[in-house]
Amino acid sequence: VYRVYSQGAVSMGDDIYMMKGRFEDKYFIGYSEELKQEIKIEKEIVKPILKGEDVKKWIQPVNSYYVIYPHYLKNGKTCVYSEEEMKSNFPLCYNYLLKFKKQLVEKKIKYKTNPNFWYSLHRAREIVVFEKQKIITPEISLGCNMTIDNNCLYHTTTVYTFDFLENQNIFYYLSLLNSKILWFYISNIGTSLRGGYFRFMTRYLENFPLPTATESQQQEFANLA
């Protein structure tokens, strides 16, 4: 019925790539923690991104941060822009990242990823999974705190995504995934953290048995969700 995607996008340094900010015309104005100042870059290369604390039970999530995302979709596959494309299409963003090229190359070499794409994310993940309606959960939670994202938001490693098959009533499944039954299941197979919190990770979630139901039965639960 679904796949659970372990983790989200991973940058090469959140203080460089992730920012709070605003859009003005064709630009994004964000505060770079690395530079300790506002920067101006092209808005087309910026994506809204969620952290675990942004995900609340039943509530449409709202992002506080944005991430520089030098990747694009081609034939259903997530690809990285070439350096020439970065220079020509996103010169402001390219010049901003160029300030950190040396440390980014060093990180690429350290983590055994291609240093030729020194400006790319460490893990971009799959755009097709981010840019769709989906159920999401914070990785660490006290009780089930899942919701539906209707705004095609990206997310970090502290949020997990349920990718459902086409034509599934995900509000029905949300009602099950936010239930005391799943919490009982997680709290019995998982490892307890401080304060009674548990991790909602792929290895725990992927084997949770979801009951079958008729369309009318599903709709009763969906209406409540």
Side-chain angles (χ1 to χ4, degrees):
V1 175
Y2 67 87
R3 292 181 294 170
V4 183
Y5 281 84
S6 56
Q7 304 186 338
V10 184
S11 74
M12 292 302 293
D14 286 353
D15 285 352
I16 297 173
Y17 285 82
M18 289 183 60
M19 306 174 212
K20 291 184 176 181
R22 65 194 184 276
F23 294 104
E24 293 183 2
D25 194 21
K26 298 182 294 183
Y27 304 102
F28 172 75
I29 312 299
Y31 185 82
S32 168
E33 291 290 345
E34 189 74 11
L35 293 181
K36 301 300 181 188
Q37 67 183 53
E38 278 194 341
I39 65 162
K40 179 180 180 180
I41 59 177
E42 297 80 6
K43 72 176 184 180
E44 288 83 3
I45 203 168
V46 175
K47 302 294 183 183
I49 192 163
L50 297 170
K51 293 186 175 185
E53 60 263 30
D54 298 322
V55 182
K56 311 293 183 185
K57 192 172 187 176
W58 308 121
I59 299 172
Q60 172 64 42
V62 178
N63 62 294
S64 300
Y65 285 86
Y66 296 86
V67 65
I68 294 173
Y69 195 85
H71 304 264
Y72 66 99
L73 195 62
K74 182 179 181 180
N75 299 325
K77 182 180 179 182
T78 301
C79 304
V80 60
Y81 288 110
S82 69
E83 190 161 358
E84 285 305 313
E85 288 172 324
M86 288 291 293
K87 288 179 183 178
S88 61
N89 298 337
F90 313 106
L92 295 176
C93 184
Y94 178 79
N95 287 328
Y96 165 70
L97 293 176
L98 196 60
K99 302 178 193 298
F100 317 109
K101 181 175 180 178
K102 181 180 178 181
Q103 67 192 77
L104 293 175
V105 168
E106 289 173 352
K107 283 188 176 182
K108 289 284 185 178
I109 294 171
K110 177 181 177 181
Y111 297 122
K112 296 181 172 60
T113 53
N114 192 342
N116 290 328
F117 299 111
W118 54 269
Y119 48 86
S120 70
L121 299 186
H122 179 59
R123 293 284 184 266
R125 307 304 180 190
E126 297 182 52
I127 292 175
V128 292
V129 174
F130 288 137
E131 295 194 351
K132 66 187 297 186
Q133 185 187 56
K134 55 190 177 291
I135 294 177
I136 54 176
T137 178
E139 179 195 357
I140 298 174
S141 184
L142 180 61
C144 300
N145 282 290
M146 304 194 192
T147 193
I148 290 178
D149 165 35
N150 289 312
N151 292 330
C152 300
L153 300 172
Y154 290 53
H155 62 75
T156 67
T157 59
T158 56
V159 177
Y160 280 59
T161 286
F162 290 80
D163 184 28
F164 281 82
L165 302 177
E166 294 293 328
N167 301 317
Q168 296 288 331
N169 189 335
I170 67 170
F171 282 93
Y172 163 65
Y173 290 110
L174 178 64
S175 70
L176 302 178
L177 294 171
N178 264 339
S179 69
K180 293 180 180 179
I181 298 172
L182 177 59
W183 177 241
F184 173 81
Y185 176 83
I186 289 289
S187 58
N188 276 274
I189 68 167
T191 303
S192 178
L193 305 175
R194 182 178 297 179
Y197 286 74
F198 279 81
R199 292 186 185 276
F200 284 67
M201 301 173 70
T202 302
R203 66 174 181 267
Y204 303 134
L205 294 168
E206 63 185 357
N207 293 319
F208 179 62
L210 294 174
T212 56
T214 65
E215 286 188 16
S216 60
Q217 288 172 330
Q218 288 188 25
Q219 195 56 48
E220 288 185 44
F221 284 86
N223 290 341
L224 294 172

